[in-house]
PDB file of all heavy atoms in Angstrom:
ATOM      1  N   GLU A1352     -71.589 109.293   2.138  1.00 93.00           N
ATOM      2  CA  GLU A1352     -71.013 108.583   0.984  1.00 93.00           C
ATOM      3  C   GLU A1352     -70.963 109.467  -0.265  1.00 93.00           C
ATOM      4  O   GLU A1352     -69.998 109.419  -1.022  1.00 93.00           O
ATOM      5  CB  GLU A1352     -71.811 107.310   0.696  1.00 93.00           C
ATOM      6  CG  GLU A1352     -71.721 106.267   1.792  1.00 93.00           C
ATOM      7  CD  GLU A1352     -70.310 105.778   2.027  1.00 93.00           C
ATOM      8  OE1 GLU A1352     -69.639 105.359   1.054  1.00 93.00           O
ATOM      9  OE2 GLU A1352     -69.844 105.832   3.188  1.00 93.00           O
ATOM     10  N   CYS A1353     -71.997 110.264  -0.494  1.00 93.00           N
ATOM     11  CA  CYS A1353     -72.035 111.139  -1.678  1.00 93.00           C
ATOM     12  C   CYS A1353     -70.985 112.239  -1.595  1.00 93.00           C
ATOM     13  O   CYS A1353     -70.454 112.665  -2.623  1.00 93.00           O
ATOM     14  CB  CYS A1353     -73.419 111.775  -1.829  1.00 93.00           C
ATOM     15  SG  CYS A1353     -74.712 110.630  -2.337  1.00 93.00           S
ATOM     16  N   LEU A1354     -70.704 112.716  -0.400  1.00 92.00           N
ATOM     17  CA  LEU A1354     -69.760 113.814  -0.227  1.00 92.00           C
ATOM     18  C   LEU A1354     -68.306 113.385  -0.358  1.00 92.00           C
ATOM     19  O   LEU A1354     -67.443 114.201  -0.705  1.00 92.00           O
ATOM     20  CB  LEU A1354     -69.983 114.492   1.129  1.00 92.00           C
ATOM     21  CG  LEU A1354     -71.284 115.276   1.273  1.00 92.00           C
ATOM     22  CD1 LEU A1354     -71.537 115.623   2.738  1.00 92.00           C
ATOM     23  CD2 LEU A1354     -71.275 116.514   0.407  1.00 92.00           C
ATOM     24  N   GLU A1355     -68.013 112.122  -0.113  1.00 91.00           N
ATOM     25  CA  GLU A1355     -66.620 111.672  -0.133  1.00 91.00           C
ATOM     26  C   GLU A1355     -65.910 111.904  -1.469  1.00 91.00           C
ATOM     27  O   GLU A1355     -64.771 112.363  -1.469  1.00 91.00           O
ATOM     28  CB  GLU A1355     -66.510 110.216   0.307  1.00 91.00           C
ATOM     29  CG  GLU A1355     -66.498 110.103   1.803  1.00 91.00           C
ATOM     30  CD  GLU A1355     -65.965 108.781   2.302  1.00 91.00           C
ATOM     31  OE1 GLU A1355     -65.796 107.841   1.504  1.00 91.00           O
ATOM     32  OE2 GLU A1355     -65.714 108.713   3.512  1.00 91.00           O
ATOM     33  N   PRO A1356     -66.525 111.613  -2.620  1.00 90.00           N
ATOM     34  CA  PRO A1356     -65.799 111.875  -3.878  1.00 90.00           C
ATOM     35  C   PRO A1356     -65.451 113.354  -4.058  1.00 90.00           C
ATOM     36  O   PRO A1356     -64.390 113.675  -4.590  1.00 90.00           O
ATOM     37  CB  PRO A1356     -66.769 111.401  -4.969  1.00 90.00           C
ATOM     38  CG  PRO A1356     -67.678 110.444  -4.292  1.00 90.00           C
ATOM     39  CD  PRO A1356     -67.793 110.931  -2.869  1.00 90.00           C
ATOM     40  N   ALA A1357     -66.326 114.239  -3.609  1.00 89.00           N
ATOM     41  CA  ALA A1357     -66.036 115.672  -3.715  1.00 89.00           C
ATOM     42  C   ALA A1357     -64.845 116.040  -2.838  1.00 89.00           C
ATOM     43  O   ALA A1357     -63.973 116.815  -3.242  1.00 89.00           O
ATOM     44  CB  ALA A1357     -67.263 116.490  -3.319  1.00 89.00           C
ATOM     45  N   TRP A1358     -64.797 115.465  -1.635  1.00 88.00           N
ATOM     46  CA  TRP A1358     -63.681 115.717  -0.716  1.00 88.00           C
ATOM     47  C   TRP A1358     -62.375 115.178  -1.286  1.00 88.00           C
ATOM     48  O   TRP A1358     -61.359 115.883  -1.306  1.00 88.00           O
ATOM     49  CB  TRP A1358     -63.995 115.079   0.645  1.00 88.00           C
ATOM     50  CG  TRP A1358     -62.828 114.995   1.565  1.00 88.00           C
ATOM     51  CD1 TRP A1358     -62.124 116.032   2.095  1.00 88.00           C
ATOM     52  CD2 TRP A1358     -62.224 113.799   2.070  1.00 88.00           C
ATOM     53  NE1 TRP A1358     -61.117 115.555   2.905  1.00 88.00           N
ATOM     54  CE2 TRP A1358     -61.162 114.188   2.900  1.00 88.00           C
ATOM     55  CE3 TRP A1358     -62.488 112.448   1.901  1.00 88.00           C
ATOM     56  CZ2 TRP A1358     -60.359 113.272   3.569  1.00 88.00           C
ATOM     57  CZ3 TRP A1358     -61.695 111.541   2.568  1.00 88.00           C
ATOM     58  CH2 TRP A1358     -60.646 111.953   3.392  1.00 88.00           C
ATOM     59  N   MET A1359     -62.400 113.940  -1.754  1.00 85.00           N
ATOM     60  CA  MET A1359     -61.181 113.331  -2.282  1.00 85.00           C
ATOM     61  C   MET A1359     -60.804 113.876  -3.654  1.00 85.00           C
ATOM     62  O   MET A1359     -59.687 113.698  -4.092  1.00 85.00           O
ATOM     63  CB  MET A1359     -61.338 111.809  -2.365  1.00 85.00           C
ATOM     64  CG  MET A1359     -61.336 111.144  -1.012  1.00 85.00           C
ATOM     65  SD  MET A1359     -61.303 109.350  -1.136  1.00 85.00           S
ATOM     66  CE  MET A1359     -63.036 108.991  -1.245  1.00 85.00           C
ATOM     67  N   GLY A1360     -61.734 114.572  -4.305  1.00 88.00           N
ATOM     68  CA  GLY A1360     -61.505 115.012  -5.674  1.00 88.00           C
ATOM     69  C   GLY A1360     -60.871 116.370  -5.835  1.00 88.00           C
ATOM     70  O   GLY A1360     -60.643 116.816  -6.954  1.00 88.00           O
ATOM     71  N   THR A1361     -60.592 117.049  -4.731  1.00 85.00           N
ATOM     72  CA  THR A1361     -59.969 118.369  -4.832  1.00 85.00           C
ATOM     73  C   THR A1361     -58.666 118.404  -4.046  1.00 85.00           C
ATOM     74  O   THR A1361     -58.549 117.773  -3.003  1.00 85.00           O
ATOM     75  CB  THR A1361     -60.905 119.487  -4.332  1.00 85.00           C
ATOM     76  OG1 THR A1361     -60.254 120.747  -4.516  1.00 85.00           O
ATOM     77  CG2 THR A1361     -61.281 119.322  -2.883  1.00 85.00           C
ATOM     78  N   ALA A1362     -57.726 119.163  -4.569  1.00 82.00           N
ATOM     79  CA  ALA A1362     -56.455 119.365  -3.876  1.00 82.00           C
ATOM     80  C   ALA A1362     -56.462 120.682  -3.101  1.00 82.00           C
ATOM     81  O   ALA A1362     -55.532 120.956  -2.361  1.00 82.00           O
ATOM     82  CB  ALA A1362     -55.296 119.353  -4.876  1.00 82.00           C
ATOM     83  N   ASP A1363     -57.521 121.495  -3.263  1.00 83.00           N
ATOM     84  CA  ASP A1363     -57.595 122.783  -2.578  1.00 83.00           C
ATOM     85  C   ASP A1363     -57.833 122.561  -1.084  1.00 83.00           C
ATOM     86  O   ASP A1363     -58.845 121.964  -0.700  1.00 83.00           O
ATOM     87  CB  ASP A1363     -58.735 123.615  -3.176  1.00 83.00           C
ATOM     88  CG  ASP A1363     -58.886 124.932  -2.454  1.00 83.00           C
ATOM     89  OD1 ASP A1363     -58.121 125.856  -2.767  1.00 83.00           O
ATOM     90  OD2 ASP A1363     -59.765 125.011  -1.569  1.00 83.00           O
ATOM     91  N   PRO A1364     -56.927 123.019  -0.225  1.00 82.00           N
ATOM     92  CA  PRO A1364     -57.070 122.760   1.218  1.00 82.00           C
ATOM     93  C   PRO A1364     -58.357 123.317   1.821  1.00 82.00           C
ATOM     94  O   PRO A1364     -58.966 122.670   2.671  1.00 82.00           O
ATOM     95  CB  PRO A1364     -55.843 123.446   1.837  1.00 82.00           C
ATOM     96  CG  PRO A1364     -54.890 123.643   0.718  1.00 82.00           C
ATOM     97  CD  PRO A1364     -55.698 123.748  -0.542  1.00 82.00           C
ATOM     98  N   GLY A1365     -58.777 124.501   1.410  1.00 82.00           N
ATOM     99  CA  GLY A1365     -60.012 125.081   1.954  1.00 82.00           C
ATOM    100  C   GLY A1365     -61.233 124.286   1.561  1.00 82.00           C
ATOM    101  O   GLY A1365     -62.116 124.020   2.372  1.00 82.00           O
ATOM    102  N   GLU A1366     -61.286 123.895   0.298  1.00 84.00           N
ATOM    103  CA  GLU A1366     -62.416 123.096  -0.189  1.00 84.00           C
ATOM    104  C   GLU A1366     -62.442 121.738   0.492  1.00 84.00           C
ATOM    105  O   GLU A1366     -63.502 121.253   0.904  1.00 84.00           O
ATOM    106  CB  GLU A1366     -62.327 122.945  -1.702  1.00 84.00           C
ATOM    107  CG  GLU A1366     -63.536 122.305  -2.327  1.00 84.00           C
ATOM    108  CD  GLU A1366     -63.454 122.241  -3.852  1.00 84.00           C
ATOM    109  OE1 GLU A1366     -62.568 122.865  -4.451  1.00 84.00           O
ATOM    110  OE2 GLU A1366     -64.295 121.535  -4.428  1.00 84.00           O
ATOM    111  N   ARG A1367     -61.271 121.116   0.639  1.00 86.00           N
ATOM    112  CA  ARG A1367     -61.206 119.816   1.313  1.00 86.00           C
ATOM    113  C   ARG A1367     -61.704 119.929   2.754  1.00 86.00           C
ATOM    114  O   ARG A1367     -62.486 119.107   3.224  1.00 86.00           O
ATOM    115  CB  ARG A1367     -59.781 119.256   1.288  1.00 86.00           C
ATOM    116  CG  ARG A1367     -59.364 118.698  -0.047  1.00 86.00           C
ATOM    117  CD  ARG A1367     -57.951 118.132  -0.002  1.00 86.00           C
ATOM    118  NE  ARG A1367     -57.878 116.896   0.754  1.00 86.00           N
ATOM    119  CZ  ARG A1367     -58.054 115.687   0.241  1.00 86.00           C
ATOM    120  NH1 ARG A1367     -58.334 115.531  -1.032  1.00 86.00           N
ATOM    121  NH2 ARG A1367     -57.946 114.612   0.986  1.00 86.00           N
ATOM    122  N   ALA A1368     -61.249 120.959   3.454  1.00 86.00           N
ATOM    123  CA  ALA A1368     -61.650 121.131   4.851  1.00 86.00           C
ATOM    124  C   ALA A1368     -63.160 121.361   4.960  1.00 86.00           C
ATOM    125  O   ALA A1368     -63.819 120.791   5.835  1.00 86.00           O
ATOM    126  CB  ALA A1368     -60.879 122.294   5.478  1.00 86.00           C
ATOM    127  N   PHE A1369     -63.703 122.178   4.069  1.00 86.00           N
ATOM    128  CA  PHE A1369     -65.136 122.467   4.091  1.00 86.00           C
ATOM    129  C   PHE A1369     -65.960 121.204   3.853  1.00 86.00           C
ATOM    130  O   PHE A1369     -66.871 120.885   4.622  1.00 86.00           O
ATOM    131  CB  PHE A1369     -65.474 123.525   3.046  1.00 86.00           C
ATOM    132  CG  PHE A1369     -66.940 123.808   2.948  1.00 86.00           C
ATOM    133  CD1 PHE A1369     -67.608 124.451   3.977  1.00 86.00           C
ATOM    134  CD2 PHE A1369     -67.657 123.433   1.832  1.00 86.00           C
ATOM    135  CE1 PHE A1369     -68.973 124.713   3.888  1.00 86.00           C
ATOM    136  CE2 PHE A1369     -69.021 123.695   1.733  1.00 86.00           C
ATOM    137  CZ  PHE A1369     -69.673 124.336   2.774  1.00 86.00           C
ATOM    138  N   ILE A1370     -65.615 120.463   2.820  1.00 89.00           N
ATOM    139  CA  ILE A1370     -66.385 119.254   2.492  1.00 89.00           C
ATOM    140  C   ILE A1370     -66.213 118.197   3.572  1.00 89.00           C
ATOM    141  O   ILE A1370     -67.180 117.534   3.958  1.00 89.00           O
ATOM    142  CB  ILE A1370     -66.008 118.717   1.098  1.00 89.00           C
ATOM    143  CG1 ILE A1370     -66.401 119.750   0.035  1.00 89.00           C
ATOM    144  CG2 ILE A1370     -66.690 117.379   0.827  1.00 89.00           C
ATOM    145  CD1 ILE A1370     -65.846 119.467  -1.351  1.00 89.00           C
ATOM    146  N   GLN A1371     -65.004 118.067   4.107  1.00 90.00           N
ATOM    147  CA  GLN A1371     -64.820 117.086   5.171  1.00 90.00           C
ATOM    148  C   GLN A1371     -65.601 117.493   6.419  1.00 90.00           C
ATOM    149  O   GLN A1371     -66.121 116.638   7.141  1.00 90.00           O
ATOM    150  CB  GLN A1371     -63.340 116.897   5.499  1.00 90.00           C
ATOM    151  CG  GLN A1371     -63.114 115.672   6.358  1.00 90.00           C
ATOM    152  CD  GLN A1371     -61.654 115.371   6.582  1.00 90.00           C
ATOM    153  OE1 GLN A1371     -60.812 116.249   6.488  1.00 90.00           O
ATOM    154  NE2 GLN A1371     -61.365 114.128   6.892  1.00 90.00           N
ATOM    155  N   GLY A1372     -65.735 118.795   6.660  1.00 89.00           N
ATOM    156  CA  GLY A1372     -66.576 119.249   7.768  1.00 89.00           C
ATOM    157  C   GLY A1372     -68.015 118.818   7.572  1.00 89.00           C
ATOM    158  O   GLY A1372     -68.680 118.373   8.514  1.00 89.00           O
ATOM    159  N   LEU A1373     -68.517 118.934   6.333  1.00 90.00           N
ATOM    160  CA  LEU A1373     -69.883 118.475   6.041  1.00 90.00           C
ATOM    161  C   LEU A1373     -70.007 116.967   6.234  1.00 90.00           C
ATOM    162  O   LEU A1373     -71.023 116.476   6.748  1.00 90.00           O
ATOM    163  CB  LEU A1373     -70.268 118.853   4.609  1.00 90.00           C
ATOM    164  CG  LEU A1373     -70.376 120.346   4.295  1.00 90.00           C
ATOM    165  CD1 LEU A1373     -70.720 120.539   2.818  1.00 90.00           C
ATOM    166  CD2 LEU A1373     -71.392 121.028   5.188  1.00 90.00           C
ATOM    167  N   ILE A1374     -68.975 116.228   5.831  1.00 94.00           N
ATOM    168  CA  ILE A1374     -68.976 114.768   6.017  1.00 94.00           C
ATOM    169  C   ILE A1374     -69.066 114.438   7.509  1.00 94.00           C
ATOM    170  O   ILE A1374     -69.820 113.546   7.922  1.00 94.00           O
ATOM    171  CB  ILE A1374     -67.730 114.136   5.372  1.00 94.00           C
ATOM    172  CG1 ILE A1374     -67.834 114.221   3.842  1.00 94.00           C
ATOM    173  CG2 ILE A1374     -67.530 112.697   5.834  1.00 94.00           C
ATOM    174  CD1 ILE A1374     -66.547 113.871   3.100  1.00 94.00           C
ATOM    175  N   LYS A1375     -68.306 115.159   8.321  1.00 93.00           N
ATOM    176  CA  LYS A1375     -68.343 114.926   9.768  1.00 93.00           C
ATOM    177  C   LYS A1375     -69.716 115.257  10.358  1.00 93.00           C
ATOM    178  O   LYS A1375     -70.182 114.578  11.275  1.00 93.00           O
ATOM    179  CB  LYS A1375     -67.250 115.734  10.472  1.00 93.00           C
ATOM    180  CG  LYS A1375     -65.845 115.273  10.176  1.00 93.00           C
ATOM    181  CD  LYS A1375     -65.576 113.968  10.872  1.00 93.00           C
ATOM    182  CE  LYS A1375     -64.137 113.545  10.738  1.00 93.00           C
ATOM    183  NZ  LYS A1375     -63.889 112.299  11.483  1.00 93.00           N
ATOM    184  N   LEU A1376     -70.379 116.295   9.829  1.00 89.00           N
ATOM    185  CA  LEU A1376     -71.741 116.596  10.293  1.00 89.00           C
ATOM    186  C   LEU A1376     -72.688 115.448   9.982  1.00 89.00           C
ATOM    187  O   LEU A1376     -73.505 115.056  10.821  1.00 89.00           O
ATOM    188  CB  LEU A1376     -72.257 117.878   9.645  1.00 89.00           C
ATOM    189  CG  LEU A1376     -71.629 119.180  10.107  1.00 89.00           C
ATOM    190  CD1 LEU A1376     -72.201 120.345   9.297  1.00 89.00           C
ATOM    191  CD2 LEU A1376     -71.864 119.397  11.587  1.00 89.00           C
ATOM    192  N   ALA A1377     -72.590 114.917   8.775  1.00 92.00           N
ATOM    193  CA  ALA A1377     -73.444 113.784   8.402  1.00 92.00           C
ATOM    194  C   ALA A1377     -73.147 112.580   9.300  1.00 92.00           C
ATOM    195  O   ALA A1377     -74.065 111.885   9.741  1.00 92.00           O
ATOM    196  CB  ALA A1377     -73.240 113.432   6.923  1.00 92.00           C
ATOM    197  N   ALA A1378     -71.866 112.355   9.580  1.00 94.00           N
ATOM    198  CA  ALA A1378     -71.491 111.236  10.454  1.00 94.00           C
ATOM    199  C   ALA A1378     -72.048 111.442  11.861  1.00 94.00           C
ATOM    200  O   ALA A1378     -72.479 110.482  12.514  1.00 94.00           O
ATOM    201  CB  ALA A1378     -69.973 111.075  10.492  1.00 94.00           C
ATOM    202  N   ALA A1379     -72.076 112.685  12.336  1.00 91.00           N
ATOM    203  CA  ALA A1379     -72.663 112.966  13.655  1.00 91.00           C
ATOM    204  C   ALA A1379     -74.133 112.556  13.672  1.00 91.00           C
ATOM    205  O   ALA A1379     -74.615 111.958  14.638  1.00 91.00           O
ATOM    206  CB  ALA A1379     -72.515 114.448  13.999  1.00 91.00           C
ATOM    207  N   ASP A1380     -74.845 112.853  12.595  1.00 90.00           N
ATOM    208  CA  ASP A1380     -76.253 112.464  12.524  1.00 90.00           C
ATOM    209  C   ASP A1380     -76.421 110.950  12.452  1.00 90.00           C
ATOM    210  O   ASP A1380     -77.354 110.399  13.028  1.00 90.00           O
ATOM    211  CB  ASP A1380     -76.931 113.129  11.330  1.00 90.00           C
ATOM    212  CG  ASP A1380     -77.370 114.545  11.658  1.00 90.00           C
ATOM    213  OD1 ASP A1380     -78.073 114.719  12.673  1.00 90.00           O
ATOM    214  OD2 ASP A1380     -77.028 115.458  10.915  1.00 90.00           O
ATOM    215  N   VAL A1381     -75.526 110.273  11.751  1.00 93.00           N
ATOM    216  CA  VAL A1381     -75.580 108.805  11.705  1.00 93.00           C
ATOM    217  C   VAL A1381     -75.472 108.260  13.124  1.00 93.00           C
ATOM    218  O   VAL A1381     -76.243 107.388  13.535  1.00 93.00           O
ATOM    219  CB  VAL A1381     -74.467 108.228  10.797  1.00 93.00           C
ATOM    220  CG1 VAL A1381     -74.342 106.720  10.979  1.00 93.00           C
ATOM    221  CG2 VAL A1381     -74.733 108.560   9.338  1.00 93.00           C
ATOM    222  N   HIS A1382     -74.523 108.775  13.896  1.00 91.00           N
ATOM    223  CA  HIS A1382     -74.348 108.311  15.275  1.00 91.00           C
ATOM    224  C   HIS A1382     -75.539 108.675  16.149  1.00 91.00           C
ATOM    225  O   HIS A1382     -75.925 107.904  17.038  1.00 91.00           O
ATOM    226  CB  HIS A1382     -73.047 108.855  15.861  1.00 91.00           C
ATOM    227  CG  HIS A1382     -71.842 108.157  15.333  1.00 91.00           C
ATOM    228  ND1 HIS A1382     -71.486 106.886  15.721  1.00 91.00           N
ATOM    229  CD2 HIS A1382     -70.926 108.539  14.403  1.00 91.00           C
ATOM    230  CE1 HIS A1382     -70.390 106.517  15.082  1.00 91.00           C
ATOM    231  NE2 HIS A1382     -70.033 107.510  14.257  1.00 91.00           N
ATOM    232  N   ALA A1383     -76.139 109.828  15.906  1.00 88.00           N
ATOM    233  CA  ALA A1383     -77.317 110.218  16.689  1.00 88.00           C
ATOM    234  C   ALA A1383     -78.467 109.262  16.438  1.00 88.00           C
ATOM    235  O   ALA A1383     -79.150 108.841  17.374  1.00 88.00           O
ATOM    236  CB  ALA A1383     -77.722 111.650  16.349  1.00 88.00           C
ATOM    237  N   VAL A1384     -78.682 108.900  15.178  1.00 90.00           N
ATOM    238  CA  VAL A1384     -79.750 107.952  14.833  1.00 90.00           C
ATOM    239  C   VAL A1384     -79.502 106.611  15.525  1.00 90.00           C
ATOM    240  O   VAL A1384     -80.441 105.948  15.974  1.00 90.00           O
ATOM    241  CB  VAL A1384     -79.853 107.782  13.299  1.00 90.00           C
ATOM    242  CG1 VAL A1384     -80.739 106.611  12.929  1.00 90.00           C
ATOM    243  CG2 VAL A1384     -80.356 109.065  12.652  1.00 90.00           C
TER     244      VAL A1384
END
């Protein structure tokens, strides 16, 4: 949830991809739990 504003807040494709990758990692841990 904290990472989403950073992802949605940039138009830079590299930055968006990087932050969304981190969001997906966090989501993987949510599913693991």
Side-chain angles (χ1 to χ4, degrees):
E1352 294 299 308
C1353 289
L1354 291 167
E1355 277 198 348
W1358 167 63
M1359 289 188 272
T1361 183
D1363 177 81
E1366 188 177 349
R1367 284 181 72 89
F1369 176 69
I1370 296 169
Q1371 193 174 24
L1373 295 178
I1374 290 169
K1375 292 288 187 177
L1376 289 177
D1380 277 307
V1381 168
H1382 285 286
V1384 168

